[in-house]
Structure formats: structure tokens, C-alpha cells
Amino acid sequence: MRVQKQTKRVLYWGITLVLMILIFSFSAKNGTSSAGMSIGYAKELARILSFFGFFQIHSNADLMMHAEVVHTFVRKTAHFTEYAVLGITVNLYLWMCYRMEMLLSRKKKAKDIQRTEEKLQKTVKQKAVVQENVLPEIRNIKEKVTAQESATQETEIARQTVENTEQKMELSIWNFIIRAEIFCALYACSDEFHQYFVPGRSCKFFDVCVDSTGTFFGALLFWGIFHLREQKRERKRQEISKKSKS
């Protein structure tokens, strides 16, 4: 399972890296090339809007005029969408890192519990030997039960300690969202700075805000789906539990 999770973590980081390279390649296009690509989508959007009666298109000049109207909307929507997807992949990668950390922590705690139980069992046996050799007349069933109960209580304390530790490491969704937001916002800043040196492109703070908003939306979408999925799993567990009890 650990190897499988490690593979998924590498895969998710690879997807994130590919998406970042793709965003970089879009920003590397000069102003003419970038505008030519986006104006094509703007024309298609104008045709769709004219079908619903928002625009009246009778010639290519009308089409170009209406395409120019929605051109800015198309470009900002592209910014928003690509960073929303980036926000999803970054949150997915952070979640997988968290699961790997929890898996390693649980294995370590399980080994600690096992060592504690072995020490307790050894202590109980030593007490039994002492009672048998030194005080044979007072050795009875009640004392054995008391020794076992004591060992059980100490083991339970060790288990509760592990549970408390895991509760402290409880999943904090906002922690993931903030980390992803900071990472993507910094990348958006570097992306805009890169565009400053590309002919025909510009560096705009507004675009950074659009990108960051897209990241936030992607993060909310990811964790919303995650929450619904966990609720569905919990309902299945409860149904299975009820069937087993009945």
C-alpha cells in the first residue's frame, strides 16, 4: 500500500508539473499569437450568443465586432480555468502527502504499542514467577486476574495516547487550501513577471487576482467533492454495520 501511495504522489506531482509547464508555454506566446488563439474562441462564443439572441450577426464584420466584445471575457476565463485545474492538482498532491504521513505515523505508533504490550506481558510473567517462588501460599486466581487487568489498563492507556496523537494530526482542509493558494499565487506572480518580457504581452496585477480566484475555486470544488465522497462512504459503513448487527 505504501508503494501504491508513493506512486500516486509522484503521479499527482507530475500532473501538476505538466500543467505548470503548459501555463508557462501559453505565457511564452507573443501578443499576436496569443490574441489570434483567443479571438478564435471569442468568435465561437459570439456565434453561440447570437444563437440565443444576444447578438445579431449578419456579416464577418459583425462577428469580429462582437468577438472583440467578449474577447476579454474569454481570456480571463482561460486564466481562471487553468488555475482552477492547477488548484485541484496541487490540493490533490498535498492530500496524498498527508495520507503518506499518516500511514507512516500509524505504523510507527503500532510498533510502539506492540513494544509496550510485550514489555507489559514480560512484567506480568515476572510478577507471576516471583509470586510462585517467593509467596506460593498467597498466589491465587484473583491476583492473576488483577495482574491481567493492570496490563490491559496500561495497554489501553497506550492506545488512547496513539488516538490522541492522531486527533492532533486531524485533517485541516483550510490548511491545504491556504498552502495551495500561496503556491499558485506565487506561480501566477512569476507567470505575469515572465509575460513582462514577452513581446506584445503585459504584466497585470488583475490577472494575478483572477488566477488566485481560480485556484480558490478549484480548491473548494476538490474538497466539496471529497466531502461528498466521504459522506457516501460513511453511509455505506453504517449500512454494513447495521446489517452485521442484525
Side-chain angles (χ1 to χ4, degrees):
M1 182 177 288
R2 180 180 175 182
V3 176
Q4 184 181 6
K5 291 185 182 299
Q6 183 70 25
T7 303
K8 285 184 177 181
R9 186 169 69 168
V10 174
L11 176 63
Y12 295 149
W13 172 244
I15 293 172
T16 302
L17 191 60
V18 168
L19 185 58
M20 292 170 66
I21 294 172
L22 188 63
I23 293 173
F24 180 87
S25 67
F26 287 151
S27 298
K29 293 180 180 296
N30 59 41
T32 303
S33 178
S34 177
M37 183 173 62
S38 58
I39 198 68
Y41 292 106
K43 287 179 180 179
E44 293 301 322
L45 179 60
R47 288 191 181 98
I48 293 171
L49 292 175
S50 68
F51 177 78
F52 289 101
F54 290 95
F55 295 143
Q56 296 295 326
I57 299 176
H58 302 289
S59 63
N60 287 333
D62 291 339
L63 177 61
M64 182 58 68
M65 180 184 66
H66 294 308
E68 289 291 342
V69 172
V70 298
H71 188 210
T72 301
F73 172 78
V74 169
R75 293 185 66 85
K76 301 313 173 186
T77 301
H79 272 270
F80 183 91
T81 303
E82 62 189 10
Y83 274 86
V85 177
L86 183 63
I88 292 173
T89 58
V90 172
N91 276 275
L92 190 57
Y93 171 74
L94 292 175
W95 164 239
M96 188 52 60
C97 289
Y98 172 83
R99 291 187 67 182
M100 283 291 298
E101 182 183 351
M102 287 297 297
L103 179 63
L104 294 174
S105 175
R106 285 172 181 169
K107 285 186 175 181
K108 182 177 180 300
K109 295 303 178 182
K111 289 181 180 178
D112 292 341
I113 289 176
Q114 186 178 1
R115 292 193 198 100
T116 303
E117 289 177 342
E118 290 174 354
K119 288 180 181 180
L120 290 172
Q121 289 175 1
K122 187 177 180 181
T123 302
V124 171
K125 289 179 180 179
Q126 289 174 349
K127 287 181 179 179
V129 170
V130 170
Q131 289 176 353
E132 184 176 359
N133 295 333
V134 180
L135 301 171
E137 67 278 1
I138 63 171
R139 180 170 55 86
N140 52 48
I141 297 175
K142 183 177 179 181
E143 290 175 345
K144 285 184 177 180
V145 172
T146 303
Q148 291 176 354
E149 288 178 350
S150 176
T152 302
Q153 288 176 357
E154 293 183 19
T155 303
E156 186 62 28
I157 290 172
R159 291 185 184 277
Q160 287 179 357
T161 303
V162 174
E163 290 177 359
N164 291 336
T165 303
E166 290 183 354
Q167 287 176 358
K168 290 179 181 179
M169 295 180 65
E170 188 179 11
L171 172 63
S172 175
I173 291 177
W174 285 107
N175 185 28
F176 289 119
I177 292 176
I178 291 171
R179 288 183 183 184
E181 188 70 25
I182 292 173
F183 176 81
C184 294
L186 290 175
Y187 186 70
C189 291
S190 68
D191 187 45
E192 290 300 314
F193 182 72
H194 166 231
Q195 290 184 27
Y196 180 78
F197 299 97
V198 178
R201 306 295 293 273
S202 60
C203 176
K204 296 180 180 179
F205 176 73
F206 179 74
D207 286 348
V208 175
C209 295
V210 172
D211 297 340
S212 301
T213 305
T215 300
F216 186 70
F217 174 81
L220 292 181
L221 180 63
F222 171 78
W223 289 111
I225 295 173
F226 175 84
H227 181 67
L228 293 175
R229 184 183 176 188
E230 288 300 306
Q231 283 186 332
K232 186 177 179 180
R233 284 183 174 180
E234 184 61 28
R235 284 195 296 268
K236 285 185 177 180
R237 291 192 198 103
Q238 292 176 357
E239 290 174 1
I240 293 171
S241 178
K242 288 179 181 179
K243 289 180 180 179
S244 61
K245 288 180 180 179
S246 60

